[in-house]
Amino acid sequence: MNENQKQRIALSIFFLISGFSFATWASRIPTIKSLFDLNDAELGNILLILPISSLLGLPISGWLVSKFDSRKPMIISFVFFNIALALIGFSQSILMLAFAVFLFSFTMRIINIAINTQSISVQRNFVRNIVGSFHGLWSVGGLMGVAFSTLMVKLEVPMDSHTLMVSTFSMIAILIAYPFLLKNDKSPHGNKLILGKPDRSIMLLGILVFFAAVCEGGIFDWSGVYFKDIIKVELFTLGYLIFMVFMALSRFFSDRLIEKVGMKRLYIISASLISIGILILIVFPYFWPCIIGLSITGIGVAAIFPMTFMLAGMSKKYSPGMAISIVATYAIVGMLVGPPLIGYIAHAFNLKVAFVIFLIAGLMLIPISQLFFKQQHEAD
């Protein structure tokens, strides 16, 4: 096995573990809601901590990717990320839970920038597109996390034992993979955040991931609650599991689809599928229609982030790490607005009405993506 393959496998492990750990948190949100007796608005306040802490991590993550190789901030942030996940399970008060969620999200922000920056660097050593496969492995990790969470819920394993098991396993896996990561991938230029008039291409890509984050992040946070409160399914992780299965499968095909139909068309196809899937969830709030709706939504969401990060990595103004950091900030704002807003609307009306936000966000991907490609064509 050559060096490039070893680097790809090592980075794949980090993507896989990141998805596994995140899904562990997201799939136990209904448990947290029950344990602390939270209403939808109060849960929205807890979820609001995630994007706020991620947004606060912007200058830190931007500085780290410009100062060091991507693997160094990756491993350090992963260690604290695992500690935070364990703390979430052991939280005995709202204050402790809030601190643990803050640390979890803050370190996840650094991880996301570091692993996506390294993925762009590793991609340069391969002829065919492989970035989509990394995101596919993140989704597989998420699928594994949901499946394991479902088993833990079924066996009535306490959440503290569950999160401790996951964080311990994750810690061992990343320490084994770390020595094989790509080294010396710091870009020699474009590492400074240039203030003033924003780069239009980067801004449009940012808006795309903003709407994608509203959809993807919102489904992560609220699909379990939707299945528990609206569909009245006892095994509430099932909806999240179905969403992750179809998103994971689709991401492994996203690189091929990009080559076959092109990114411009794929954005339209993805947005249409998201909108159709969410519409089914709203109009037919029953078990099988919602399973189908989440399946379609998962397929639609799959390619948005891989495509957008690939386009950001091609920026002529910024290094890949800085471009991804800027674009990812828009995603954080999407998470800041989306999931908490769903909670507030659900508290005022109901969760079905709140899911209209996802429908609107999905539809907005079409005009914004076409505006980006038009701008690129005019620039050429």
Side-chain angles (χ1 to χ4, degrees):
M1 187 183 296
N2 62 37
E3 196 68 22
N4 292 340
Q5 289 293 344
K6 289 179 182 178
Q7 292 164 356
R8 181 180 181 181
I9 291 171
L11 184 58
S12 295
I13 291 172
F14 273 80
F15 269 93
L16 186 77
I17 293 301
S18 177
F20 186 87
S21 299
F22 178 78
T24 299
W25 140 258
S27 60
R28 294 307 296 251
I29 288 174
T31 306
I32 292 171
K33 184 184 180 187
S34 298
L35 286 174
F36 289 93
D37 194 25
L38 305 173
N39 61 38
D40 287 335
E42 290 169 336
L43 179 59
N45 289 333
I46 293 296
L47 297 179
L48 191 61
I49 295 170
L50 277 84
I52 290 175
S53 58
S54 293
L55 203 56
L56 291 174
L58 169 63
I60 303 296
S61 60
W63 177 77
L64 287 172
V65 296
S66 65
K67 188 74 174 176
F68 305 101
D69 297 340
S70 60
R71 72 186 196 124
K72 293 178 181 177
M74 196 189 307
I75 188 67
I76 294 171
S77 55
F78 244 114
V79 169
F80 286 99
F81 179 69
N82 287 324
I83 291 171
L85 179 60
L87 284 175
I88 288 173
F90 282 90
S91 295
Q92 298 295 317
S93 66
I94 288 292
L95 186 61
M96 185 177 177
L97 175 65
F99 171 76
V101 171
F102 180 93
L103 181 62
F104 182 80
S105 180
F106 186 86
T107 51
M108 184 170 64
R109 162 68 164 163
I110 299 171
I111 290 168
N112 287 342
I113 301 305
I115 62 176
N116 280 291
T117 298
Q118 177 139 144
S119 74
I120 299 298
S121 300
V122 171
Q123 169 69 77
R124 293 182 182 133
N125 297 323
F126 291 83
V127 176
R128 302 200 70 168
N129 289 333
I130 61 171
V131 173
S133 67
F134 287 127
H135 287 264
L137 284 165
W138 188 93
S139 298
V140 169
L143 176 59
M144 292 167 58
V146 178
F148 188 63
S149 295
T150 302
L151 178 63
M152 294 295 99
V153 171
K154 189 72 174 176
L155 297 176
E156 299 182 353
V157 174
M159 198 168 74
D160 53 2
S161 300
H162 177 196
T163 57
L164 182 61
M165 281 189 282
V166 172
S167 59
T168 302
F169 168 76
S170 299
M171 195 80 77
I172 294 169
I174 61 170
L175 290 175
I176 292 172
Y178 175 71
F180 303 99
L181 289 171
L182 177 67
K183 304 175 181 67
N184 302 318
D185 64 334
K186 177 187 171 185
S187 179
H189 56 80
N191 287 316
K192 291 185 177 180
L193 181 61
I194 304 169
L195 300 175
K197 187 178 180 180
D199 181 84
R200 192 160 183 260
S201 295
I202 293 295
M203 182 181 70
L204 289 171
L205 292 175
I207 295 172
L208 279 173
V209 295
F210 167 83
F211 287 117
V214 169
C215 293
E216 187 174 328
I219 294 296
F220 284 155
D221 289 347
W222 286 100
S223 59
V225 179
Y226 195 87
F227 260 63
K228 185 176 182 180
D229 294 352
I230 304 298
I231 313 303
K232 308 297 183 183
V233 176
E234 185 177 347
L235 201 58
F236 54 80
T237 56
L238 187 60
Y240 187 100
L241 181 63
I242 291 296
F243 176 73
M244 290 298 297
V245 165
F246 281 86
M247 186 169 71
L249 290 173
S250 300
R251 277 183 168 165
F252 282 109
F253 292 102
S254 63
D255 290 323
R256 293 286 182 89
L257 284 172
I258 289 169
E259 294 172 2
K260 292 287 185 182
V261 305
M263 291 190 185
K264 185 176 181 180
R265 289 181 180 176
L266 193 51
Y267 272 110
I268 296 175
I269 294 169
S270 298
S272 300
L273 289 172
I274 291 170
S275 303
I276 291 168
I278 295 298
L279 194 60
I280 291 172
L281 281 169
I282 296 170
V283 177
F284 304 104
Y286 310 104
F287 181 77
W288 284 111
C290 285
I291 291 291
I292 294 170
L294 283 172
S295 303
I296 295 172
T297 305
I299 295 171
V301 164
I304 303 298
F305 273 94
M307 283 195 297
T308 310
F309 283 144
M310 284 174 65
L311 291 170
M314 299 174 189
S315 172
K316 297 176 182 178
K317 185 174 182 179
Y318 297 106
S319 68
M322 186 56 68
I324 290 170
S325 180
I326 296 169
V327 169
T329 303
Y330 288 81
I332 300 304
V333 176
M335 293 179 193
L336 178 69
V337 172
L341 182 60
I342 295 297
Y344 301 142
I345 295 175
H347 185 65
F349 301 97
N350 61 62
L351 203 51
K352 286 191 294 181
V353 172
F355 266 44
V356 172
I357 297 295
F358 299 145
L359 177 62
I360 296 169
L363 289 172
M364 287 301 298
L365 293 169
I366 296 176
I368 302 301
S369 64
Q370 301 315 292
L371 188 60
F372 169 81
F373 288 107
K374 180 182 178 182
Q375 190 267 337
Q376 290 294 99
H377 179 72
E378 292 173 351
D380 294 338

